[in-house]
Amino acid sequence: MSDYSYECLNCHEFSVSRGFDVAFLSVTCEVCDSFERLVNGTILDQFRAFEESPPDEFDWDRLDRREKLMVSEKIVRQGRSVDDFEITDLTDDEK
């Protein structure tokens, strides 16, 4: 059985390993003491790769952190590619 690593999204200083593979864990961080999501290490690796070298297919910097993590999660865990995503502007009615 493999161990999977998870890192605190708040402080990035706390990590745990677990024998199961999920996208996120919700636990109290032992470093920053907040009840936070710990993100799967493979998702975080993809997120960081896009931060260092944003995809040419869309404007990565327009996304907020939550949206960036969602894109990274869908690529890593669901086999999607950046071509599967489209960034659109919301109309005033949609905001």
Side-chain angles (χ1 to χ4, degrees), residues 7-16 29-32 48:
E7 182 179 304
C8 178
L9 283 174
N10 187 48
C11 70
H12 299 282
E13 294 180 25
F14 176 67
S15 63
V16 296
C29 175
E30 293 179 12
V31 175
C32 66
R48 288 177 174 149

Side-chain angles (χ1 to χ4, degrees), residues 2-64:
S2 296
D3 276 348
Y4 301 90
S5 65
Y6 300 88
E7 182 179 304
C8 178
L9 283 174
N10 187 48
C11 70
H12 299 282
E13 294 180 25
F14 176 67
S15 63
V16 296
S17 293
R18 296 290 186 260
F20 51 85
D21 183 20
V22 295
F24 299 95
L25 299 175
S26 292
V27 299
T28 300
C29 175
E30 293 179 12
V31 175
C32 66
D33 202 36
S34 66
F35 187 72
E36 255 327 304
R37 279 192 167 186
L38 275 61
V39 65
N40 185 299
T42 57
I43 296 169
L44 198 52
D45 290 344
Q46 181 63 68
F47 170 83
R48 288 177 174 149
F50 281 156
E51 287 288 285
E52 288 180 23
S53 182
D56 293 331
E57 290 79 0
F58 58 84
D59 188 2
W60 178 255
D61 292 331
R62 281 188 51 202
L63 301 177
D64 65 24

